[in-house]
Amino acid sequence: MKISLKWLSDYIDVPVDVKALCDRLDLTGTGVEGVETLGGAFDGVVVGYVEECEVHPDSDHMHVVKVNVGAEEPVQIVCGAPNIAAGIKLPVATIGAVLPGDFKIKKSKLRGVTSCGMCCSQRELGMGNNHDGIWILPDDAPVGMPIAEYLKMTDTVLDLEITPNRPDCLSVTGFAREVGAMYQLDWNNPLEAMAAKMELDENAAPVDSEVSVTIDDAKRCPRYTARIIRDCKIGPSPDWLVERLTAIGQRPINNIVDVTNYILFLFGQPLHAFDLDKLKNAEGKANVVVRAAYEGEKLVTLDGEERALTPDMTVIATPELGAVALAGVMGGLDTEVTDATTSILLEAATFEAGRTSRTSRNLGLISESSMRYERGVDDHGIELRSAAAAALMVEVAGGTVSYAEVNAEGIVDEWPVVSEPRSLSFRIDRFCAMMGADIPSDYITDVLVRLGCQVSAGEGDNVLSIVAPTFRPDLEREIDLYEEVLRLWGMDRIPSTLPGGRMRVGARSTEELVADKINATLRACGLNETMTYSFAEPSDIERLRMNVEGLAVELMNPLNADQSVMRQSIIPGLLRSVAYNQARGVRNVQLYEIGMVFSTAEGRKKPKERRKVAGVMAGAMNGAAWNQASVPFDFFDGKGVLESLARELALPKVRFKALSADEAPHLQPGRAAEMLAGGTVIGWVGEVHPLAADAFEASAPVVAFELDVAALVKSAQASRPYVDVPTFPAVSVDAAFVVSEDVTHEKMLQCMKSAGGKLLEDVQLFDVYRDEARVGAGKKSMAYALTYRAPDRTLTSEEVEKAHARLVQKVSAATGAELR
Amino acid sequence: MAITEELLGLREQTLAAIEAAETSAALEQVRVAVLGKAGSLTGYLRSMGQIPKEERAEVGKAVNEARVAVEEALAARKAVLDAAELEAAIDAAAVDVTLPGRAQQMGTRHLINRMIDEISEIFLGLGYTVATGPEVETDYYNFTALNAPADHPSRSMQDTFYVHDLSGDSSRVRGESDVLLRTQTSGVQVHVMEDQDLPIYIISPGKVYRRDVADPTHLPQFHQVEGLVIDEGITFGDLKGTLDYVCKQIFGPDRKTRFRAHFFPFTEPSAEADVSCGVCGGEGCRVCKGTGWIEILGCGMVDPNVLAMSGIDPEKYSGFAFGFGVERVACLKYNVPDLRMLLEGDMRFLRQF
């Protein structure tokens, strides 16, 4: 909201230091978003003092004067005005000043005498018609002061952020009250004096004979008043009114509408002026109804837009015309005040806050009215604010205000819901304890009174009894009063402390600790953590060719179609990042992300959220270096990461099971595996199917994995059991088995482990070799290093030979292997 | 006495040969030639039996002396040659130490999680527990239990992502489901208040969603760290002291904080906290828009309604809450020019942190 300090200063002494004022506003809860200085048009025009005045040597009517303009040296000016004289003060336009009409003041010579400026008349400054001579200013005008400042033409306009709990601050007078409380200054409320100026015309027809008001639903409209102003003449507003409104960025329209706006900004009371004659029916009566809009009802608002209304919205209507205004938001075009209008029906009302807010949001129509109604307009005092408006209308547009038969206010007044002022206690000791500071009770009382509360001694020691004003609907509870006092006392004055509570330890959950280990391991494996969107394209999963459980979670209001569902896998996002890097020439990409995936099902309210850890590896871990080859990533790099993870998390009984094309269509068949720990499925690893990679514009091969964090957390063991460090020597024996291609390493391992007995300590595969000539077609040679050891003695060579022979025999029998 | 003379000659000859040996291998040859199985001196030792008895003692003594002298000379020469050879080997093995090392490439932590780690660590040190919760919430946990009015603009479809509710429940607000992507992690706090014993000292870091189009300064998904303290005797001074400490830990000990009164439905009294601008040191510059301050977080004393809704007696307990945007803090610390970089996965960006 914009506040003109000049306007504000009509009601309170505004602190001179604007910067300090803005800082104080910021700290007390009114954010200052901008400061604008008006009156710059008279830059360079200052108050001058004529020190010397001599006749021009070459002219009979001009004078040469030396004028002190507040600079070190007086300036010499040639002046033709008859009333120029030494010892007077006058406005001087110095060199560089621009006067109305784009008249630029330059150094010049008049009949051979240099003139460095101009002594100004009122008309030359555009401030009146007096051109008889220069404008002689009072003797106390300070020399050198900018004329705009001297004449109080300068204005500073603050753009303020009023928080939604402070409807009272959305007006000049409300803001004056706030500034008064901030600085403990008195202010002058003009409302009663302005209202008292209104005179009711006892001769015209009473308002209640021509206007009736019916409120259908009191909740929607707690109070509605209507008043008639007759015989006005619509025209432009006087200068002072135009100046007030333009200063705060409002466009003047006509005298009647301008008055409604003026009152809105002055008192925070939105008003609407209808053309009374347009509201009247054939019997000459305006029957105003405040009701819910009908489904499908339409209204052309003042801005010329046709609005489709819903029953959630409230309208002002007449039985004959239907909706004529959107309550609290905007008037209708058909009943607006025009140049031809002579009689006004002035609406001053209050409407339901939440509904106004919804209406204006749903229509994308935010007006000065709706902004105030959605925060709450006080139902008390509406008659006074309406009277002040009526008096001002008569002042600027002529006419008379009709009286009413039923009340002395001259209004039709429907007031079905009267708000009650709230009575609250203020326990000073509790307040000080909660703030952690001793704030004097005198201060508390003073500041609450200045905010409009009634304060008296309450029951008990150090307890105040407070009645909160109805214009502060936010003051509902004791705590709300605490906030008022604290913010005005100054949060900066509260000493900083740390809580000293008992029974407190800092901790992280098991899941977070496991997640930390996962993060640390993946980084140690060379993967870089990233983040991608939780949003996904609906086609992502299909393009990835992935089998997923459940339905995608659809957003009701996505930002765009590409992000209209929640992701069911992290992989599409990571593939996009692979493509992003590859498109920019970054070939080696190692990324991982830990994050949520989402799915739902018919009948579910909240979707299932599962935390996943996913990774992608494309290119190689590093480029070729002088001492290191660049080895392209393949399936086993991904699997190696998972093996490291299994080790770090101490996962028990980890195995990898080949996944078929049906089970994992998103992975390249033959290079896809499922990771299990005991019976728990942890996730999958594999090379992304070339078609799936291509669908996300990533160049294959891309090694990827996606694991379930909950499964990892469930399977992870805090530690492994201790095993004695061997003290007796081991014997290592190599054996190369030739087996057919379908015999897996896992199968070999199982056979060896079961055949090796207690003495077989370790099995390491060190070579896989294929050669049709030497090994045979469809066969491979698998070379293992077998370690034999007994924990309690040194093995003899006979023992080892016997155990090894048994192992070879059993493996051969079980797998058809031949020893090479 | 020809044998002793022979021996003397052999001894002198051998010592000279040892002295002349330039390599360990040459030295070894000398040793083998003299002391080996077929060595010349060994030959004398073996043939001692053929020496006449009366000469045996004298010859034996001479042979032994010769052997000792040769062995000592061999050892001495070996030490010299070994040292020289080691030195030569070391010289030969010298490398250009400016050549790149053979490092295993380590991965990097994402900037945002790095910030969250840093912030969590500060609060763990203050005795806070780290709590997490779901990203999809009902409007009760995201708004209602946090005292947000039913018509609060933040609840609108303009600002909050809603998801389809497949349970068949009709939503209370026309056209809106009551299942949504959380706009703040405050819902976690409500769960904690409902489920945990007092006192409560928690922070809840996590991802949140708001309906802002992605641009250099906005993302529809970002991260917050919110905190909640509920205990007996918690004061506004405690709120100030805690956040002042945390800001100094994050931004540096020279930075100042200030608290501006503000309004949030969840807290009463409410404030926004600023830290002094790190670019100009509080003088006012382009970064802080001339104010000398940079807004960093929202905070306040927990509204008694919020406590009461979660079954906590506001007369007995008080507390404070705060929340800040991690992306904002990260950008202030690292001058990231465009928030969208955080979601692109550009290796050249990620590997900077």
Side-chain angles (χ1 to χ4, degrees):
Chain A
M1 183 191 62
K2 287 188 169 178
I3 282 279
S4 145
L5 294 187
K6 191 175 170 188
W7 191 355
L8 183 67
S9 66
D10 283 359
Y11 315 111
I12 190 165
D13 287 333
V14 178
V16 184
D17 184 343
V18 174
K19 170 83 170 70
L21 171 67
C22 291
D23 283 348
R24 182 101 175 98
L25 283 167
D26 269 331
L27 290 177
T28 54
T30 309
V32 180
E33 294 184 328
V35 180
E36 190 189 349
T37 308
L38 304 181
F42 292 96
D43 277 356
V45 183
V46 299
V47 176
Y49 173 72
V50 182
E51 292 181 341
E52 289 171 30
C53 178
E54 282 166 12
V55 176
H56 192 287
D58 198 16
S59 160
D60 53 358
H61 70 280
M62 287 197 283
H63 288 80
V64 179
V65 294
K66 292 241 159 53
V67 186
N68 178 354
V69 292
E72 275 180 26
E73 293 290 317
V75 294
Q76 176 174 293
I77 294 172
V78 177
C79 174
N83 59 344
I84 189 78
I88 60 166
K89 288 188 175 170
L90 73 179
V92 178
T94 56
I95 289 166
V98 181
L99 298 187
D102 205 21
F103 176 33
K104 204 171 272 177
I105 303 298
K106 293 181 206 149
K107 188 172 177 177
S108 60
K109 270 193 177 175
L110 289 165
R111 297 214 184 155
V113 178
T114 307
S115 181
C116 300
M118 190 173 102
C119 301
C120 305
S121 70
Q122 272 193 354
R123 196 166 78 185
E124 281 160 344
L125 289 176
M127 283 185 232
N129 286 323
N130 191 330
H131 196 48
D132 297 343
I134 49 128
W135 187 358
I136 298 176
L137 300 173
D139 286 344
D140 60 357
V143 171
M145 181 183 265
I147 195 74
E149 187 181 334
Y150 174 68
L151 295 172
K152 296 209 163 51
M153 290 162 55
T154 43
D155 192 0
T156 302
V157 176
L158 305 183
D159 193 358
L160 303 174
E161 181 203 359
I162 305 294
T163 52
N165 59 329
R166 294 299 303 275
D168 62 301
C169 274
L170 291 171
S171 66
V172 178
T173 52
F175 191 65
R177 182 188 300 110
E178 171 74 8
V179 172
M182 279 162 56
Y183 289 97
Q184 294 183 274
L185 288 174
D186 293 339
W187 69 287
N188 157 41
N189 190 341
L191 177 60
E192 298 208 358
M194 286 175 71
K197 279 193 189 169
M198 180 185 67
E199 289 169 13
L200 296 178
D201 180 0
E202 304 287 339
N203 301 320
V207 57
D208 20 20
S209 70
E210 292 191 358
V211 175
S212 76
V213 171
T214 311
I215 297 173
D216 264 7
D217 177 354
K219 196 161 172 288
R220 288 174 180 247
C221 177
R223 188 177 185 188
Y224 192 99
T225 71
R227 180 189 295 287
I228 292 178
I229 299 106
R230 294 174 206 276
D231 303 325
C232 6
K233 188 163 169 26
I234 309 301
S237 295
D239 291 348
W240 69 266
L241 181 50
V242 170
E243 190 199 317
R244 282 280 138 96
L245 293 175
T246 49
I248 54 169
Q250 293 296 309
R251 191 170 51 90
I253 296 172
N254 60 45
N255 44 14
I256 294 298
V257 174
D258 291 350
V259 167
T260 63
N261 284 332
Y262 179 80
I263 296 294
L264 176 144
F265 288 108
L266 183 56
F267 297 116
Q269 172 70 57
L271 300 168
H272 185 62
F274 291 99
D275 184 325
L276 176 64
D277 295 325
K278 292 179 188 159
L279 288 184
K280 282 183 178 172
N281 61 13
E283 288 84 48
K285 205 156 176 217
N287 296 313
V288 172
V289 183
V290 186
R291 60 159 168 84
Y294 302 132
E295 186 71 63
E297 193 168 6
K298 291 201 163 59
L299 173 69
V300 178
T301 44
L302 279 176
D303 53 8
E305 297 280 323
E306 187 182 74
R307 310 280 177 175
L309 310 180
T310 66
D312 190 46
M313 303 169 180
T314 306
V315 293
I316 315 302
T318 70
E320 300 79 16
L321 299 172
V324 294
L326 199 49
V329 179
M330 196 173 268
L333 189 65
D334 292 344
T335 52
E336 75 168 335
V337 171
T338 64
D339 290 351
T341 302
T342 57
S343 296
I344 308 291
L345 185 148
L346 179 66
E347 165 199 294
T350 182
F351 301 104
E352 188 184 352
R355 194 177 298 278
T356 311
S357 158
R358 276 202 304 281
T359 301
S360 86
R361 268 206 323 266
N362 289 341
L363 292 175
L365 183 59
I366 291 166
S367 64
E368 293 291 346
S369 282
S370 71
M371 251 176 63
R372 285 166 179 79
Y373 279 122
E374 71 178 48
R375 287 166 168 82
V377 168
D378 190 9
D379 56 332
H380 295 270
I382 285 181
E383 68 288 351
L384 288 178
R385 298 190 285 271
S386 165
L392 199 51
M393 285 179 181
V394 169
E395 186 185 318
V396 301
T400 61
V401 184
S402 301
Y403 79 104
E405 282 186 331
V406 295
N407 59 37
E409 318 292 342
I411 48 177
V412 176
D413 188 358
E414 283 300 314
W415 194 355
V417 183
V418 181
S419 68
E420 293 291 334
R422 278 201 184 76
S423 293
L424 302 167
S425 290
F426 191 108
R427 290 169 286 173
I428 293 172
D429 295 341
R430 182 167 183 270
F431 167 69
C432 290
M434 193 186 274
M435 297 307 119
D438 284 327
I439 298 174
S441 60
D442 290 353
Y443 179 82
I444 296 171
T445 303
D446 182 71
V447 92
L448 288 173
V449 168
R450 288 186 187 283
L451 287 171
C453 297
Q454 294 168 34
V455 181
S456 55
E459 285 176 29
D461 286 346
N462 271 336
V463 175
L464 301 175
S465 173
I466 312 287
V467 179
T470 49
F471 57 77
R472 287 297 302 270
D474 59 316
L475 301 183
E476 292 177 298
R477 302 158 304 163
E478 187 177 1
I479 194 79
D480 300 320
L481 300 173
Y482 288 6
E483 175 170 61
E484 291 303 296
V485 180
L486 173 69
R487 70 182 179 84
L488 294 166
W489 172 256
M491 291 175 168
D492 50 333
R493 295 166 77 183
I494 306 289
S496 288
T497 51
L498 283 175
R502 305 151 292 128
M503 280 186 57
R504 154 159 58 117
V505 287
R508 315 193 62 184
S509 65
T510 311
E511 177 173 343
E512 291 314 305
L513 292 173
V514 171
D516 283 354
K517 276 193 191 173
I518 296 172
N519 272 300
T521 307
L522 296 183
R523 289 206 297 279
C525 290
L527 301 188
N528 302 285
E529 190 187 27
T530 188
M531 286 182 183
T532 59
Y533 280 107
S534 301
F535 310 111
E537 271 191 64
S539 65
D540 274 359
I541 287 299
E542 193 188 324
R543 289 190 299 144
L544 184 62
R545 308 155 53 96
M546 192 186 238
N547 294 336
V548 290
E549 280 173 30
L551 304 169
V553 177
E554 286 176 49
L555 293 174
M556 296 177 69
N557 51 343
L559 281 171
N560 50 58
D562 293 351
Q563 300 189 324
S564 61
V565 299
M566 299 305 284
R567 65 182 176 188
Q568 289 173 281
S569 164
I570 301 177
I571 298 296
L574 291 178
L575 287 177
R576 285 192 181 95
S577 289
V578 169
Y580 182 97
N581 279 291
Q582 288 174 340
R584 284 158 184 79
V586 181
R587 313 304 307 171
N588 297 336
V589 183
Q590 318 89 17
L591 296 171
Y592 82 94
E593 177 176 356
I594 298 183
M596 294 294 182
V597 301
F598 306 81
S599 68
T600 189
E602 285 302 334
R604 272 192 86 92
K605 187 170 188 70
K606 279 177 67 182
K608 238 189 232 168
E609 281 177 51
R610 298 196 75 98
R611 204 172 180 198
K612 296 276 184 183
V613 50
V616 286
M617 304 163 90
M621 189 55 83
N622 46 266
W626 71 283
N627 57 352
Q628 233 171 330
S630 176
V631 185
F633 284 130
D634 67 16
F635 172 83
F636 295 102
D637 291 286
K639 186 178 172 188
V641 171
L642 268 47
E643 286 168 337
S644 297
L645 207 51
R647 212 211 96 77
E648 287 304 304
L649 299 180
L651 299 183
K653 295 184 191 140
V654 171
R655 53 182 291 251
F656 290 84
K657 184 176 133 281
L659 283 172
S660 68
D662 285 345
E663 289 169 313
H666 62 293
L667 295 175
Q668 182 172 324
R671 294 191 165 221
E674 185 169 65
M675 181 187 191
L676 300 114
T680 308
V681 175
I682 302 291
W684 55 261
V685 57
E687 290 182 25
V688 174
H689 198 289
L691 294 176
D694 193 51
F696 292 92
E697 286 161 21
S699 305
V702 179
V703 181
F705 61 83
E706 188 162 36
L707 312 178
D708 191 83
V709 174
L712 286 168
V713 171
K714 191 181 129 207
S715 303
Q717 295 171 8
S719 62
R720 268 180 290 264
Y722 164 77
V723 178
D724 281 329
V725 175
T727 49
F728 293 93
V731 178
S732 187
V733 184
D734 291 350
F737 295 100
V738 175
V739 291
S740 61
E741 281 288 358
D742 60 354
V743 177
T744 63
H745 167 65
E746 184 182 42
K747 171 79 178 158
M748 293 294 289
L749 215 50
Q750 279 169 359
C751 290
M752 285 186 276
K753 285 199 168 157
S754 78
K758 281 186 188 158
L759 298 183
L760 182 67
E761 184 186 69
D762 189 34
V763 179
Q764 289 296 327
L765 175 70
F766 67 86
D767 191 32
V768 180
Y769 176 69
R770 292 180 177 84
D771 186 312
E772 245 180 67
R774 298 184 187 190
V775 178
K779 302 229 170 213
K780 60 188 173 184
S781 162
M782 304 185 80
Y784 291 92
L786 302 154
T787 305
Y788 295 93
R789 192 200 305 263
D792 54 349
R793 64 188 190 280
T794 302
L795 289 174
T796 63
S797 46
E798 290 75 28
E799 277 181 292
V800 174
E801 275 160 25
K802 201 174 143 199
H804 187 64
R806 190 173 62 228
L807 179 141
V808 169
Q809 188 233 320
K810 285 198 173 175
V811 170
S812 302
T815 63
E818 282 171 35
L819 209 54
R820 237 186 115 210
Chain B
M1 292 319 241
I3 291 179
T4 48
E5 275 166 28
E6 271 177 42
L7 277 169
L8 212 57
L10 179 60
R11 174 176 161 174
E12 291 311 314
Q13 213 179 346
T14 306
L15 291 180
I18 287 170
E19 213 44 48
E22 287 297 325
T23 64
S24 316
L27 188 65
E28 181 65 8
Q29 275 178 13
V30 175
R31 190 191 68 79
V32 171
V34 180
L35 293 176
K37 279 183 183 170
S40 45
L41 198 54
T42 314
Y44 284 102
L45 284 167
R46 286 215 179 126
S47 59
M48 281 302 282
Q50 295 152 21
I51 305 288
K53 239 181 194 172
E54 58 278 16
E55 291 176 23
R56 221 176 266 171
E58 196 181 345
V59 171
K61 192 178 164 219
V63 170
N64 266 329
E65 278 174 4
R67 196 187 67 192
V68 168
V70 166
E71 279 177 348
E72 279 173 1
L74 277 171
R77 185 63 188 158
K78 185 165 192 324
V80 170
L81 289 177
D82 279 358
E85 278 166 16
L86 178 61
E87 200 172 322
I90 286 171
D91 280 352
V95 297
D96 174 0
V97 296
T98 65
L99 286 172
R102 196 178 291 110
Q104 161 75 40
Q105 176 179 294
M106 299 289 284
T108 49
R109 184 82 157 140
H110 191 272
L111 174 61
I112 292 306
N113 282 332
R114 185 171 288 271
M115 282 309 311
I116 290 176
D117 289 347
E118 196 180 308
I119 294 164
S120 300
E121 209 54 50
I122 297 167
F123 281 102
L124 282 165
L126 288 171
Y128 288 58
T129 290
V130 181
T132 53
E135 292 177 12
V136 183
E137 271 290 6
T138 57
D139 76 345
Y140 178 79
Y141 283 101
N142 196 70
F143 291 123
T144 309
L146 296 160
N147 212 28
D151 288 304
H152 198 269
S154 65
R155 291 184 158 196
S156 75
M157 300 276 282
Q158 299 293 327
D159 294 344
T160 297
F161 286 110
Y162 285 86
V163 304
H164 285 287
D165 170 359
L166 302 184
S167 69
D169 289 359
S170 58
S171 62
R172 285 174 301 139
V173 185
R174 186 186 158 89
E176 291 176 8
S177 154
D178 65 350
V179 185
L180 48 81
L181 304 188
R182 66 178 179 186
T183 61
Q184 47 194 6
T185 62
S186 314
V188 176
Q189 305 179 7
V190 180
H191 289 291
V192 168
M193 282 190 280
E194 286 176 353
D195 302 340
Q196 278 185 19
D197 293 336
L198 295 166
I200 291 169
Y201 290 81
I202 57 153
I203 57 163
S204 52
K207 195 180 284 178
V208 299
Y209 302 86
R210 290 188 194 169
R211 223 170 149 275
D212 287 321
V213 175
D215 69 20
T217 55
H218 296 88
L219 288 176
Q221 68 179 48
F222 57 99
H223 295 76
Q224 276 193 333
V225 174
E226 294 195 44
L228 175 72
V229 167
I230 297 172
D231 203 345
E232 290 177 51
I234 295 295
T235 69
F236 188 80
D238 293 338
L239 162 70
K240 276 186 68 180
T242 300
L243 295 176
D244 183 58
Y245 171 77
V246 171
C247 286
K248 284 187 163 67
Q249 288 291 306
I250 296 174
F251 293 104
D254 303 337
R255 306 290 278 271
K256 291 192 260 307
T257 54
R258 72 166 185 180
F259 292 78
R260 286 179 287 106
H262 203 69
F263 170 75
F264 303 112
F266 179 57
T267 50
E268 187 91 13
S270 303
E272 281 184 333
D274 301 337
V275 287
S276 55
C277 178
V279 176
C280 61
E283 297 293 310
C285 66
R286 195 182 52 82
V287 173
C288 58
K289 296 185 185 111
T291 63
W293 296 96
I294 290 174
E295 183 189 326
I296 211 79
L297 53 84
C299 57
M301 302 298 285
V302 181
D303 193 292
N305 284 0
V306 173
L307 294 176
M309 265 189 279
S310 295
I312 297 170
D313 179 4
E315 285 295 318
K316 189 172 174 203
Y317 288 95
S318 56
F320 63 79
F322 55 85
F324 46 93
V326 182
E327 276 76 359
R328 182 169 170 72
V329 174
C331 285
L332 286 173
K333 261 192 103 159
Y334 293 95
N335 296 318
V336 176
D338 189 332
L339 286 180
R340 290 171 296 187
M341 297 175 84
L342 296 169
L343 291 171
E344 280 162 352
D346 190 323
M347 293 286 292
R348 298 162 299 179
F349 174 75
L350 296 175
R351 289 200 59 78
Q352 293 178 28
F353 303 102

